[in-house]
Amino acid sequence: MREVPATEFTRNFGQYREIAQREPVAVTSHGRATGYFVSVVEFEELQRLKAYSRRSRAVVDMTRACEQPHGP
């Protein structure tokens, strides 16, 4: 992953847009990452993983609810 200060990122946006097609670019401010610039493919994969994660938790929660004893 490449790291770049925000001012450099702004000055050379086109260059980092191309780099982001190959690897994520961490945009930093005062030495700390403030955001990441990623390709559409990476972003879509992240969205799929987040959606999958939500569904997985829901199934686990439902299983636990079914295992709990029911009232009198």
Side-chain angles (χ1 to χ4, degrees):
M1 176 182 332
R2 177 114 17 142
E3 287 190 13
V4 61
T7 53
E8 169 72 13
F9 180 80
T10 301
R11 258 183 273 145
N12 296 300
F13 175 76
Q15 174 187 351
Y16 292 107
R17 182 179 56 207
E18 293 300 317
I19 291 169
Q21 300 309 306
R22 297 183 304 275
E23 63 180 309
V25 177
V27 181
T28 63
S29 179
H30 303 287
R32 296 179 53 188
T34 58
Y36 296 89
F37 194 51
V38 297
S39 69
V40 170
V41 173
E42 288 260 348
F43 181 76
E44 289 173 348
E45 178 66 14
L46 174 62
Q47 295 299 96
R48 278 192 296 275
L49 289 170
K50 284 173 64 177
Y52 179 77
S53 176
R54 282 187 218 117
R55 282 193 304 263
S56 295
R57 252 185 247 121
V59 170
V60 169
D61 292 342
M62 288 173 41
T63 302
R64 287 183 188 144
C66 291
E67 293 173 351
Q68 292 178 355
H70 298 283

